[in-house]
């Protein structure tokens, strides 16, 4: 693996251009689970979201932002997040992350949706719920990918 001039084999240097460390593909997953008293107010099937970010050397980073904690896991090997999410009753949506703007993101409460939007480089101020994020991702042809072998998710 060859590193870019400002990057070590472990990843980009602090302050490097965000476009240099942007994952080539990600999979956002939506869940209908409602463990908190207020989650049933959200649309059934769309009460939580999380994201798996592909890593250039293979494997994935799983980011699961919850109300009480954020889980981060590194998944190595040939694991396919689409299969894993489907096997666990989640609805996966493969997307291509966008290069983030080089300015501060608008203020927003820390929710699963906000964490996923920031991980994907999205600036969608009025996307506040998992359902709205799903609609935003599936309406944007530039962001959503087909689940096919040539993008490197399925082999």
């Amino acid at each position: 693996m060859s590193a870019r001039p400002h990057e070590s084999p472990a990843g980009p240097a602090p302050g490097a251009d965000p476009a240099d460390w942007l994952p080539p593909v990600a999979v956002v997953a939506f869940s209908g689970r409602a463990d908190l008293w207020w989650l049933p107010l959200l649309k059934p099937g769309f009460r939580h979201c999380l994201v798996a970010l592909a890593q250039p050397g293979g494997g994935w980073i799983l980011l699961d932002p919850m109300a009480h904690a954020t889980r981060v896991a590194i998944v190595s090997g040939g694991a396919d997040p689409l299969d894993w999410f489907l096997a666990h009753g989640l609805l996966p949506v493969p997307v291509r992350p966008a290069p983030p703007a080089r300015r501060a993101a608008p203020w927003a409460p820390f929710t699963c949706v906000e964490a996923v939007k920031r991980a994907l480089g999205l600036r969608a101020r009025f996307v506040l719920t998992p359902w709205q994020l799903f609609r935003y991702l599936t309406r944007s042809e530039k962001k959503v990918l087909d689940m096919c072998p040539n993008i490197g998710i399925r082999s």
Side-chain angles (χ1 to χ4, degrees):
M1 168 164 102
S2 65
R4 294 184 178 131
H6 58 278
E7 183 177 317
S8 76
D17 186 349
D20 288 344
W21 48 261
L22 193 67
V25 68
V27 180
V28 179
F30 297 91
S31 169
R33 252 180 103 170
D35 294 337
L36 300 174
W37 68 267
W38 55 270
L39 287 177
L41 300 172
L42 297 174
K43 185 172 183 67
F46 297 91
R47 294 178 173 151
H48 179 62
C49 59
L50 58 144
V51 64
L53 304 163
Q55 294 304 289
W60 297 81
I61 294 177
L62 182 67
L63 177 68
D64 187 3
M66 298 173 288
H68 67 292
T70 297
R71 275 190 256 173
V72 179
I74 299 187
V75 182
S76 58
D80 183 348
L82 292 172
D83 291 338
W84 191 89
F85 288 146
L86 287 169
H88 288 84
L90 304 172
L91 174 63
V93 177
V95 298
R96 188 174 316 282
R102 295 195 59 91
R103 64 185 187 282
W107 183 90
F110 183 77
T111 64
C112 59
V113 172
E114 192 62 29
V116 169
K117 287 186 331 187
R118 292 191 187 208
L120 297 175
L122 299 180
R123 298 240 179 200
R125 179 178 292 229
F126 298 105
V127 172
L128 304 172
T129 68
W131 171 244
Q132 290 171 330
L133 180 60
F134 174 79
R135 299 277 303 207
Y136 179 85
L137 293 174
T138 57
R139 283 186 176 173
S140 175
E141 293 178 25
K142 293 179 183 177
K143 301 237 182 300
V144 176
L145 303 170
D146 289 330
M147 293 182 203
C148 59
N150 61 352
I151 62 171
I153 292 181
R154 290 193 182 264
S155 50

